């Protein structure tokens, strides 16, 4: 198969949802329909149970699983599907944001009873900002939930999307009879005994089929016809160009647990989802069809075995082919590296691969060369944009509890920060190290990993910080100099050396913004 054909076959996407909406179940069912696994239950849930905040074994177990399920690839209808897994737990939201830089489209899963939830809002906002094409899957139709049209309204209003339903449920919960598939223009009825297997379908090709009325009853039949008319009148018709531009989001309904609507989702996905998209670097736009290789690191996973300290860096291939044992330029370090055993992913397994194409993810063994956001190329000096850090929510000083292990602690902190576990800030005033995280759980992970992987003991000390803002100012401006002098106590540098203002409250931030108009305060590290 030629290079062009290989690229056009790839579909790389992520599934996002609020925890418990059914992301894991849907992922598993997609693999099942894709023929990549034979039975349900093969892909373990990689969510950290809410109760497990102090259970380190649980954290370790989850880390192990999440390597295995980081990328799940399979072939369906001659398309190579790469699902990039995203952690569901909100404390790991930053991980999810980073993974979203490597997807070409997403599927958003929403629980029919709960509707649009907080985590969905945050993640969809990131996708919306980047115009990532989205398909919405409304799950758990076998349960009593909200009215389909109310949900479509909610998705439009809360998520700021413009939707068009491509299927519509017939009944719900106890009365759930199936779906009318607007995309394929047929009806598929639901029988409870299909649970957990890929059951035989009952399909009616026309909504006028009298057998359909007999099967679902006159009331539901009448409602269905009315609803289809309503959809015709109210919602815009599906338009692939608008979907690809992030201007229109198709919605499908189903029940992942019951294998219902999943095959329809997959069929629709392979037809409409984008192949690998061009990506912007600081220097220029890179097309996947360029012959020369380029890619970037969006995730780093440390080895759980303390005897093998190497890490796995996940690289999304943007252009050209990535080949084993070929030297590539690590742009930040200006160093050539070659990889003798790059991993590719298939279902939940990984294996050594000789060549990979745009859209694919390769896992590279790394002894500490990489950090998140690094670019690799065939030689050109490119830097891919778009993996910014956001302000952490929690801030704590990190103290060394074992003076004999100061070196190990520094190394451990450095490496964990490169992996993107948390952010490090160094206070200007006294050089103290401050760790910022999205969730409180990360502090436990850091403490545990520093001890187990680096032999370093640390403790944390709370610091009241409302937000970290990246600061930009003209060194020649007296106002900027005054700001730096007066607020020195609240200034720090991030790991890249950028100046950061640590505001104590929303009020104090507002005050400095008003007082120092020439200074710019940014809420992400990339501006
Ligand atoms: P997540 O990854 O988004 O966090 O969700 P996950 O797939 O783990 O699903 C959360 C719960 O919702 C699970 O139940 C799962 O079985 C259930 N679920 C998923 N899809 C459907 C569906 O279509 N219908 C119904 N009724 N339930 C669904 P659990 O009891 O929390 O876990 P488990 O013990 O079943 O694994």
């Amino acid at each position: 198969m030629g290079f062009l054909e290989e690229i056009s076959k790839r579909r790389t996407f992520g599934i996002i949802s609020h925890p418990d909406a059914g992301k894991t179940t849907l992922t598993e069912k997609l693999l099942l329909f894709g023929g990549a696994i034979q039975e349900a239950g093969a892909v373990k849930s990689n969510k950290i149970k809410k109760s497990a905040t102090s259970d380190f074994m649980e954290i370790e177990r989850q880390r192990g699983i999440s390597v295995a399920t980081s990328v799940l690839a399979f072939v369906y209808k001659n398309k190579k599907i790469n699902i990039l897994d995203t952690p569901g737990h909100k404390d790991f939201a930053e991980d999810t944001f980073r993974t979203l830089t490597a997807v070409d489209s997403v599927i958003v899963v929403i629980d029919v009873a709960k509707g649009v939830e907080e985590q969905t809002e945050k993640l969809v906002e990131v996708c919306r900002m980047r115009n990532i094409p989205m398909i919405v899957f409304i799950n758990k139709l076998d349960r009593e939930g909200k009215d389909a049209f109310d949900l479509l309204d909610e998705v439009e209003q809360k998520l700021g999307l413009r939707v068009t339903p491509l299927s519509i449920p017939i009944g719900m919960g106890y009365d759930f009879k199936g779906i009318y598939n607007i995309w394929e223009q047929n009806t598929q009825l639901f029988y409870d005994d299909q649970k957990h297997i890929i059951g035989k379908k009952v399909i009616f090709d026309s909504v006028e089929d009298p057998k359909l009325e007999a099967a679902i009853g006159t009331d539901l039949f009448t409602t269905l016809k009315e609803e289809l008319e309503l959809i015709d009148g109210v919602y815009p018709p599906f338009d692939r160009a608008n979907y690809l531009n992030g201007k229109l989001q198709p919605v499908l309904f189903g029940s992942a647990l019951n294998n219902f609507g999943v095959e329809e989702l997959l069929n629709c996905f392979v037809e409409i989802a984008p192949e690998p998209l061009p990506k912007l670097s600081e220097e220029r736009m890179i097309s996947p069809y360029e012959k020369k290789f380029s890619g970037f690191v969006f995730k780093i996973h440390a080895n759980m075995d303390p005897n093998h300290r190497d890490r796995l860096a996940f690289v999304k291939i943007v252009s050209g082919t990535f080949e084993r044992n070929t030297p590539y330029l690590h742009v930040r370090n200006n160093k050539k590296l070659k990889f003798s055993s790059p991993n590719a992913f298939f279902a939940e397994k990984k294996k050594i691969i000789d060549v990979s194409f745009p859209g694919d993810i390769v896992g590279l063994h790394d002894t500490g060369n990489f950090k998140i956001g690094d670019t690799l190329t065939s030689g050109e000096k490119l830097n891919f944009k778009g993996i910014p850090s956001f302000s952490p929510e929690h801030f704590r000083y990190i103290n060394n509890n074992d003076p004999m292990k100061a070196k190990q602690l520094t190394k451990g902190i450095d490496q964990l920060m490169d992996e993107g576990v948390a952010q490090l800030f160094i206070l200007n005033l006294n050089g103290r190290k401050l760790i910022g995280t999205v969730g409180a759980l990360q502090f436990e992970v850091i403490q545990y990993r520093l001890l187990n992987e680096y032999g370093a003991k640390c403790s944390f000390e709370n610091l009241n910080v409302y937000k970290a803002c990246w600061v930009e100012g003209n060194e020649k401006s007296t106002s900027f100099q005054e700001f730096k002098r007066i607020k020195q106590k609240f200034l720090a540098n991030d790991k890249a050396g950028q100046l950061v203002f640590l505001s104590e409250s929303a009020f104090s931030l507002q005050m400095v913004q008003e007082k120092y108009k020439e200074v710019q305060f940014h809420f992400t590290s990339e501006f």
Side-chain angles (χ1 to χ4, degrees):
M1 201 183 316
F3 177 59
L4 303 187
E5 205 184 329
E6 287 285 359
I7 300 176
S8 64
K9 272 177 65 170
R10 263 105 183 134
R11 299 289 180 275
T12 302
F13 76 106
I15 305 180
I16 55 174
S17 73
H18 191 85
D20 277 347
K23 183 167 69 70
T24 313
T25 313
L26 179 64
T27 307
E28 180 173 286
K29 295 308 168 77
L30 291 173
L31 290 179
L32 201 59
F33 279 100
I37 54 170
Q38 305 317 321
E39 57 181 312
V43 180
K44 305 284 181 306
S45 160
N46 78 342
K47 55 186 172 165
I48 293 186
K49 296 262 186 305
K50 288 156 211 113
S51 58
T53 46
S54 303
D55 184 346
F56 300 119
M57 287 316 290
E58 179 71 2
I59 293 170
E60 283 298 278
R61 195 178 67 78
Q62 298 294 355
R63 284 180 54 214
I65 292 168
S66 68
V67 168
T69 59
S70 282
V71 185
L72 297 158
F74 61 94
V75 175
Y76 183 75
K77 293 195 171 174
N78 200 29
K79 297 281 186 300
K80 164 117 191 275
I81 317 266
N82 294 315
I83 308 181
L84 307 196
D85 194 34
T86 56
H89 198 289
K90 73 169 177 25
D91 284 10
F92 295 91
E94 191 121 358
D95 243 17
T96 303
F97 293 142
R98 286 191 291 253
T99 299
L100 289 178
T101 61
V103 303
D104 294 309
S105 72
V106 302
I107 293 179
V108 185
V109 183
I110 292 175
D111 181 322
V112 70
K114 296 193 178 136
V116 172
E117 295 174 88
E118 187 196 340
Q119 196 67 6
T120 323
E121 280 186 61
K122 283 193 188 149
L123 296 169
V124 166
E125 196 187 330
V126 173
C127 297
R128 211 159 33 94
M129 274 161 30
R130 299 191 187 144
N131 295 324
I132 298 177
M134 286 181 255
I135 298 178
V136 179
F137 182 72
I138 302 202
N139 190 28
K140 306 196 186 180
L141 261 290
D142 58 311
R143 287 214 184 139
E144 237 22 86
K146 299 187 182 185
D147 171 76
F149 288 91
D150 289 348
L151 265 174
L152 293 172
D153 280 353
E154 190 176 324
V155 169
E156 290 205 318
Q157 274 153 27
K158 281 201 180 163
L159 299 179
L161 303 182
R162 185 160 164 259
V163 301
T164 183
L166 288 188
S167 75
I168 193 80
I170 305 172
M172 183 186 289
Y174 182 73
D175 260 345
F176 181 50
K177 292 283 191 285
I179 49 171
Y180 180 78
N181 190 331
I182 299 170
W183 179 246
E184 290 176 6
Q185 302 245 316
N186 60 28
T187 313
Q188 190 193 328
L189 294 191
F190 170 73
Y191 290 105
D192 217 10
D193 61 1
Q194 283 187 2
K195 270 194 177 180
H196 307 293
I197 54 152
I198 299 173
K200 216 173 84 204
K201 284 190 203 168
V202 181
I203 291 179
F204 295 94
D205 286 329
S206 161
V207 74
E208 302 300 340
D209 192 330
K211 285 200 216 116
L212 175 60
E213 181 172 357
I216 63 176
T218 304
D219 286 354
L220 284 176
F221 182 70
T222 314
T223 311
L224 173 64
K225 289 184 77 170
E226 283 168 7
E227 288 182 347
L228 288 175
E229 266 173 39
L230 182 69
I231 290 171
D232 230 14
V234 173
Y235 293 96
F238 176 73
D239 176 283
R240 184 159 185 248
N242 282 339
Y243 155 71
L244 293 178
N245 289 331
K247 302 280 179 271
L248 183 69
Q249 287 77 25
V251 181
L252 291 117
F253 292 81
S255 165
L257 188 64
N258 294 292
N259 298 317
F260 202 82
V262 176
E263 197 178 4
E264 288 66 23
L265 172 69
L266 191 55
N267 287 342
C268 175
F269 173 85
V270 290
E271 262 185 68
I272 68 172
E275 55 181 67
L277 299 172
K279 192 160 176 78
L280 190 64
S281 71
E282 275 170 26
E283 293 73 16
R284 61 187 183 85
M285 189 67 114
I286 312 296
S287 154
Y289 292 96
E290 292 185 22
K291 285 279 157 50
K292 292 199 168 146
F293 162 73
S294 68
F296 65 94
V297 177
F298 65 95
K299 179 181 182 128
I300 293 177
H301 215 295
N303 198 323
M304 289 168 61
D305 178 353
N307 297 324
H308 297 94
R309 191 60 63 67
D310 65 339
R311 312 185 289 180
L312 203 58
F314 290 80
V315 175
K316 161 92 187 267
I317 299 175
V318 177
S319 66
T321 49
F322 176 92
E323 284 162 37
R324 192 154 84 97
N325 281 327
T326 304
Y328 292 117
L329 177 68
H330 181 302
V331 178
R332 180 174 55 86
N333 288 350
N334 196 20
K335 203 160 95 177
K336 291 254 178 173
L337 298 173
K338 67 179 175 186
F339 304 91
S340 58
S341 51
N343 282 292
F345 302 86
F346 192 77
E348 73 275 41
K349 298 186 193 71
K350 58 182 169 53
K351 62 173 190 206
I352 293 174
I353 186 121
D354 290 324
V355 52
S356 299
F357 295 90
D360 282 339
I361 311 298
V362 285
L364 304 179
H365 290 281
D366 168 41
T367 46
N369 287 312
F370 287 123
K371 65 182 193 185
I372 299 236
D374 279 350
T375 302
L376 275 180
T377 71
S378 291
E380 189 175 346
K381 293 210 162 144
L382 296 173
N383 289 284
F384 285 106
K385 289 168 77 100
I387 310 200
S389 302
F390 296 88
S391 174
E393 310 264 323
H394 304 265
F395 296 82
R396 293 184 195 166
Y397 285 121
I398 183 161
N399 297 325
N400 182 6
N401 284 10
D402 182 352
M404 304 298 287
K405 298 280 171 69
K407 257 196 188 154
Q408 284 87 333
L409 184 70
T410 308
K411 182 168 179 215
I413 295 175
D414 261 8
Q415 295 211 340
L416 293 188
M417 299 306 126
D418 285 351
E419 271 178 47
V421 175
Q423 292 179 56
L424 175 72
F425 302 98
I426 313 251
L427 259 78
N428 280 5
L429 197 62
N430 51 20
R432 282 190 78 178
K433 287 181 175 164
L434 187 65
I435 303 277
T437 67
V438 174
L441 186 54
Q442 267 98 333
F443 290 107
E444 297 185 40
V445 175
I446 291 168
Q447 202 169 33
Y448 177 80
R449 290 191 53 193
L450 284 174
L451 185 62
N452 282 275
E453 292 168 31
Y454 301 90
K457 280 197 192 114
C458 74
S459 58
F460 295 107
E461 204 181 308
N462 258 331
L463 181 71
N464 174 34
V465 175
Y466 158 70
K467 252 193 174 72
C469 299
W470 282 263
V471 181
E472 197 182 13
N474 181 348
E475 288 299 336
K476 290 187 186 135
S477 127
T478 45
S479 162
F480 185 45
Q481 293 304 337
E482 183 190 311
F483 163 76
K484 288 206 288 188
R485 187 166 44 80
I486 294 185
K487 295 292 173 192
Q488 193 191 14
K489 202 175 134 204
F490 302 98
L491 291 179
N493 286 94
D494 72 4
K495 211 165 165 258
Q498 296 193 98
L499 188 64
V500 173
F501 173 60
L502 305 165
S503 66
E504 284 174 303
S505 65
F507 178 71
S508 72
L509 178 58
Q510 196 189 340
M511 292 299 286
V512 295
Q513 279 173 314
E514 276 169 20
K515 185 157 181 210
Y516 302 102
K517 290 219 160 46
E518 284 172 35
V519 182
Q520 288 174 51
F521 298 88
H522 302 279
F523 294 98
T524 70
S525 64
E526 226 174 52
F527 42 83

